[in-house]
Amino acid sequence: MRKWHRWLSVFFAIVMIWVAVTGLLHYVVVWWPTAEPSPAALAALEPPPGFVCPEGWRCIAPRPDTGNPLAQYLGLFHHLHAGSEGGIWGEIIVMLSGLALVFFTVSGMWMYFQMWAGRKARGLKKKVFWK
């Protein structure tokens, strides 16, 4: 188990760091302090009278300008985090890194339990954490 844990961690550590950093950047953008949009800015976003979105189109109302200089990067960080920017292979790698996270959690707990049981069987310290 330790051999698999060690070898898989070499590759997936890089991917997991990537996912962690892009996730943090995503939340930096989301939680960045912003000002409330002015009534004039909100009024400018209203569609003209009688506007109807053409059939087959997806019309999205623009976001009001709240003074967040990073707001333009929100979609990019989300796509980088999800692996979408890497196409199908990026999404597969991100999905496998999620599965690797589960594997590392289970195998790490299994190895810890084996070490703890071995120490207990040899009559060494019976503490949960040891040096």
Side-chain angles (χ1 to χ4, degrees), residues 47-55 57 59:
F51 174 79
V52 177
C53 188
E55 183 154 342
W57 287 44
C59 298

Side-chain angles (χ1 to χ4, degrees), residues 32-38 64-68:
W32 192 267
T34 58
E36 289 295 320
S38 67
D65 182 20
T66 57
N68 184 347

